[in-house]
Every structure is written in structure tokens, then in C-alpha cells.
Amino acid sequence: MDLDVFVMTHRAEWDRLDRLLRRGRRLTGAEADELVVLYQRAATHLSLIQSSAPDPTVTGRLTQLVARARATVTGTRRASWRDAARFLTEGFPAAVYDSRRWWIPTAVLSTLLAAVIGWWIGSHPEVQSAIAAPDELRQLTRPGGEYETYYSSHPAASFAAQVWTNNAQAAAMCLVLGAFLCLPVIWILFLNMANLGVGIGLMSSAGRLDTFLGLVLPHGLLELTAVFVAAGTGLRLGWTLIDPGPRPRREALARQGRAALGMAMGLALVLFVSGLIEGFVTPSGLPTWARIAIGVFAEAAFLTYVYVLGGRAARTGETGDVDDWERSAELPTAA
């Protein structure tokens, strides 16, 4: 191999790769893909020179160039506090806003289902007797019964941690299992709404629906919203597998999957807040109106966060997906 001819032939590609690497995160999607191609070619060139015509100067330059390109392509960059702030102010709220056409109908239909189940149980004594014996029902619904003592049966901190863990797991299952054609998400939603409906029905039949709602609403508004967002996103992910739209199925599913994973982290924070309310506010001695007001405020704050910050970010093109330059790292990087 004539080294001089080889260098003259490929020097423009190496210089172009060097210029792209110097631009860092300012690359467009097309430039990021070009960087990957040039990196693969440079790695091949380095291998050819080392095996056929080793030259310290050329080899040294290409070794450094390939190492820098590999670091960029394989994503060795570490996340910073700026990334976390951007995720919380743009990525996460934009993803929730972007999926609103899925989670809002999910919330409405699920709430109606819980109300119907509650009405059915509350107005049919035979259904109540099929759920539990009369003595057990009285134990559940009487003043100071299990529905009321549930929220104060453990220390507030440990109870909040337990609630947060359980709810985060449920939300994560909705997000992940949506890829299985939506069916597991529908089942998880049904179980949660059936459980809520049973509480509504039994407490209403005992004339204590106001007490039940006073216990559920402070934390339940935010908690159920997070579950509905997770379920709606999971359903959207499953539907993408069925109907990917104009994109190839693999690309569309990857895009929704990446956004769903990011949303899981954001919803964990939302559920942490609802867990704190359930652990410290719900069983507190505050008047019912005050506890419900705290829950309404938390819900209103979350919706404002989604529609103001999320809507603004979504209008600039933010979807909650990773940046183009990070997406290109998914391409093969071996020479």
C-alpha cells in the first residue's frame, strides 16, 4: 500500500470527522449519522495502516481521532445537573403533555368505571354479601374501622415509603407491559378501579361515603393521575406496535419506548409526592377540607406544570425522547 496516496485520498474524511467532533452536541441528526459513518471508516483505515504500512505520525493521528469518535459515538458523556434540570423542566412535562390524548381518556373512562362499580356494589346487598360476611363488612366500614385505620396503621415515614414503592411499581408495569398489545395495562387498570369501586360501594352503603372520599382524595388525585398517565403511555406504546404510523415499526416503537422510560423516572417523583401526602397528610388530624385542599393543590400544581412547561416545550419540538446525537449511538460502532 502506498501510504502517501492513501493519506491524500482519505485526508478530507479525517479532517471532516475532526470538525464534527469539535462541534460536540451542536450536531444535527444528519451530521451525527455522518459522524458515525466517518468513525467506522477511520477505524478501518487505522487497521489497514497498522497492518500494511505502519507510520508513527499517521497512526498516532488516527488513533487519537478514532478514540475521540468512539467516546462520542458510544456515549461516554456523563449526565450532569443541567441534564436533570432540562429533563424536569422540558423533557418529562413535554412527554406527559404529548401523550395527553391517551391518558386523559384513560382517566375519564377509568373513573367512570370505578363509579359504576361503586354504584353497583352500593345498591345491591347481594353483591356486598358475596364480597364478605356482614360482620366483616361492618368491621371494614364502621367508624374507626379498617378503611380508616389503614392510613395510620404504620409510622408515617415507613407507610409513605411503602406506598411510594407499590405505586411506582404499578406505574412502571403499565409503562413496560404496554408493549404487549395493551392487554396487561387494561387488566392492571381494571384491578385498580375495581378496588376503588369496592371501597366506594361499601362505604356508601354504610352511609360513610364522605369519610371515604375525605381519606382518598388528598393523595388519590395526584396518585391516580400518575397511574393514568402511566397507563395511557403504556397503551400508546402498545398501539404503536399495532399501528406505527408513517415511521417504520421499529423506529416508532423505539421512540415511544425511550420516552416511556424517561416518563417512568418522572412519575416516580410524582408518586413520591403523593406518597408523602398519603403518609403524612391523609392520617393527620387536619380537618377534612384542609386535607382535600392539599390534594387539590398538588393536583392543580402538577397539571399546571404539564400544561405550562410541557406545552411550551412541546411547541418547540420536545417530545421527551433523547437527543439526535444520543440516538445515533444506537447504530453499530464496530469497524
Side-chain angles (χ1 to χ4, degrees), residues 96-107:
V96 178
Y97 181 86
D98 187 55
S99 63
R100 68 193 184 281
R101 292 182 179 85
W102 285 87
W103 63 262
I104 291 178
T106 299

Side-chain angles (χ1 to χ4, degrees), residues 41 44 56 78 80 90 128 141 154 163 202 228 258 261 269 276 279 282 296 314-315 328-329:
R41 291 179 182 173
T44 302
R78 295 181 179 179
S80 65
E90 297 180 21
Q128 300 169 30
T141 58
H154 296 86
V163 167
L202 294 181
F228 294 147
R258 289 190 299 264
L261 288 177
L269 296 176
L276 290 178
T282 298
V296 171
R315 285 188 288 274
S328 66

Side-chain angles (χ1 to χ4, degrees), residues 50 122 147 155 171 199 235 248 279 284 325-326 334:
Q50 287 176 327
Y147 271 122
L235 292 173
S284 71
W325 72 276
E326 293 175 299

Side-chain angles (χ1 to χ4, degrees), residues 222 273 294-309:
L222 187 60
V273 175
I294 291 173
V296 171
F297 175 78
E299 174 74 358
F302 176 69
L303 293 179
T304 301
Y305 164 75
V306 168
Y307 275 85
V308 175
L309 292 184

Side-chain angles (χ1 to χ4, degrees), residues 33-52:
D33 291 337
E34 181 186 4
L35 187 148
V36 174
V37 173
L38 292 175
Y39 156 58
Q40 294 174 326
R41 291 179 182 173
T44 302
H45 298 161
L46 176 60
S47 177
L48 289 173
I49 292 174
Q50 287 176 327
S51 61
S52 303

